[in-house]
Amino acid sequence: MGRRLNDPEHSRFASLILLSVALLSCVLVYAVVATFLNPNVGSHDSSFESLEMVASGDFGEKKDECCRGIENLELWGPAVKWGSEFKFNSSVECCQACKTMCSGNDGPCLCDTWVFCGNKEACGSRFGECWLKKQKDPLSPDRQDAGKSVIWTSGLIFGKGEGIVGMETEYGTLHIKLFPDCAPYSVAYILELLTMRHCVGCQFYRAESRGQSWDSEGNHIKDAPYGPPFALIQGILEAQGTPFNKMPTEACPTIRRGSVAWIGSGPEFFISLANHGEWKNSYTVFGSVLLEDMEVAEKIVQLPTKSDVWNNINVSVLEKPVPLIVRRMKKSLGDLNSNVKPE
């Protein structure tokens, strides 16, 4: 027996109600996921809710996110491909051309810098030029010019053993593989921190174990809650006396064990001790801790903590914050054991 068709006016009215409910649900979910890690919300942000409100499901990562650059920036360096004879229609294609010269497992890339002219009006006859270059020091790229008048967009690519920095603590050093092609603005800030002799104010201040919700490899245990505890160590990367510019939202893959990501626009950040598919694509990931160094994170999470409540959420705060310094490594390290690949 066929179903009776709904009255047209009633159907339109019902559709509007459903649309309003759907939009309200999206706003609530965004507010929950975007703020639950923020230590500064306190009683000032009433939208802070339990993570249990976030629905679980499939958490596939967005494709083609990791070919990004910084606009109005021209990086210098010896050219391995001359842009006057090497042109593309987009910066993504230029970036990918550099990546193809960095696809092996035999060490540094032949190309680690790409520079593209993508503004037709400003570039004129140079539109589409893609310059592929090689830096003498990938962690200190040679900058030619920057500013609104610069017509170029530039990006970095780190090969095997490159782009690894250390977060040095009294409990050991966390070696982190940076993802400049996924989060170029974030990585540019980390490279600035490398030039400082100290990072007064940089520290870990929150530490939460995997509890009974995740196994030792970071996999979520079936039917277990998603916290608290939330399986992470959290800190701040802002040197006192140095202005911090908010980070833009960049590539936000699914959080995995070892992911290093900003909370909102920074400077608060966290290192995940588990695979957090329930958070979906909510955080800019700018690096990943090498697998062998996760034991340092595990040491920190076992330090004495005290309970606190951040807007109705129970959290564990370190009794004594752990200072950290971001340092460049004296030699290249392999990254075959990194927890998360940027693509």
Side-chain angles (χ1 to χ4, degrees), residues 274-296:
N275 303 322
H276 282 294
E278 77 279 8
W279 294 348
K280 300 188 178 181
N281 308 104
S282 301
Y283 301 100
T284 292
V285 176
F286 58 88
S288 179
V289 178
L290 299 193
L291 182 61
E292 57 268 29
D293 288 337
M294 286 302 292
E295 62 182 27
V296 177

Side-chain angles (χ1 to χ4, degrees), residues 201-273:
C202 296
Q203 61 181 1
F204 290 109
Y205 54 78
R206 176 185 177 188
E208 300 192 10
S209 69
R210 294 184 300 276
Q212 302 299 316
S213 297
W214 293 272
D215 62 25
S216 60
E217 295 181 354
N219 300 310
H220 185 253
I221 298 172
K222 186 178 181 181
D223 297 328
Y226 287 100
F230 294 104
L232 56 83
I233 56 175
Q234 180 173 327
I236 186 168
L237 285 173
E238 180 182 20
Q240 292 180 2
T242 302
F244 179 86
N245 296 319
K246 292 184 177 180
M247 290 293 122
T249 298
E250 302 188 272
C252 299
T254 302
I255 298 296
R256 302 297 183 190
R257 175 173 163 82
S259 292
V260 187
W262 295 117
I263 299 170
S265 301
E268 286 79 18
F269 78 106
F270 69 92
I271 295 175
S272 179
L273 303 181

